[in-house]
Amino acid sequence: MPELERLAIRHAPALLRFEQANRAYFARFVPDRGDDYFHEFSDRLIGLLAEQDTGLCHFHVLVDPEDGTVLGRFNLVDVADGSAELGYRVAERAAGRGLARESVRRVATLAREEYGLRRLVASAALANPASLAVLRRTGFVPVEEVQLDGKPALRHVLDLG
């Protein structure tokens, strides 16, 4: 079973390979990050880790224990007042195996037990039925229609009790 790990600098090479290998796949569902994202990857990662140290966000990677490849990212951002926004992406080769669903459950548990959060919010585009299914299967409830990068989406909420 892949390991869900808190993002650390040691993940940098595998995380960059994950983002590069899946760039076209991710662009089918969310806007492409652009070439600058890859050219400035190291600096961006250092910035994210510094932000994580403040407690304003919590970044996680799903790592294959056999070869150390990153299979997914599961991030909690904009942490405030007991709430955070969940975002995630899974490698194309790992899609359809239940890894997103299981990892979202694990991140929700961490959010409640380790980070003291009471509520998660997540949005998924209507054109991304797999992400919508993951949210619903992990207990998120749709609360409103929103726009993600100009496209129709649904915002969901998960009460962590």
Side-chain angles (χ1 to χ4, degrees), residues 23-24 40 68 85 113 138 145 153 161:
R23 184 177 183 180
E40 300 167 0
E85 178 94 17
E113 295 177 3
T138 55
E145 293 183 11

Side-chain angles (χ1 to χ4, degrees), residues 87-154:
Y88 60 92
R89 53 180 54 199
V90 174
E92 184 174 20
R93 75 178 184 100
R97 299 181 2 207
L99 294 176
R101 182 180 65 240
E102 180 58 30
S103 297
V104 166
R105 284 184 179 136
R106 290 162 65 188
V107 167
T109 298
L110 284 171
R112 183 181 64 250
E113 295 177 3
E114 299 293 324
Y115 310 138
L117 300 176
R118 298 179 309 277
R119 177 178 176 225
L120 297 181
V121 177
S123 298
L126 296 181
N128 191 346
S131 283
L132 291 167
V134 166
L135 293 175
R136 290 192 179 126
R137 289 179 181 148
T138 55
F140 281 81
V141 176
V143 293
E144 66 180 327
E145 293 183 11
V146 294
Q147 296 283 309
L148 286 178
D149 300 304
K151 297 179 181 168
L154 284 175

Side-chain angles (χ1 to χ4, degrees), residues 7-17 41-42 45:
L7 183 63
I9 197 69
R10 74 181 187 290
H11 296 116
L15 183 58
L16 179 58
R17 284 191 299 275
F41 185 81
S42 294
L45 181 60

Side-chain angles (χ1 to χ4, degrees), residues 48-128:
L48 291 176
L49 293 172
E51 190 177 1
Q52 179 170 258
D53 288 343
T54 69
L56 295 175
C57 53
H58 304 284
F59 302 109
H60 306 86
V61 288
L62 187 65
V63 178
D64 184 331
E66 291 184 19
D67 62 11
T69 59
V70 171
L71 299 173
R73 296 181 75 163
F74 297 84
N75 302 324
L76 299 171
V77 299
D78 298 333
V79 174
D81 301 321
S83 182
E85 178 94 17
L86 169 69
Y88 60 92
R89 53 180 54 199
V90 174
E92 184 174 20
R93 75 178 184 100
R97 299 181 2 207
L99 294 176
R101 182 180 65 240
E102 180 58 30
S103 297
V104 166
R105 284 184 179 136
R106 290 162 65 188
V107 167
T109 298
L110 284 171
R112 183 181 64 250
E113 295 177 3
E114 299 293 324
Y115 310 138
L117 300 176
R118 298 179 309 277
R119 177 178 176 225
L120 297 181
V121 177
S123 298
L126 296 181
N128 191 346

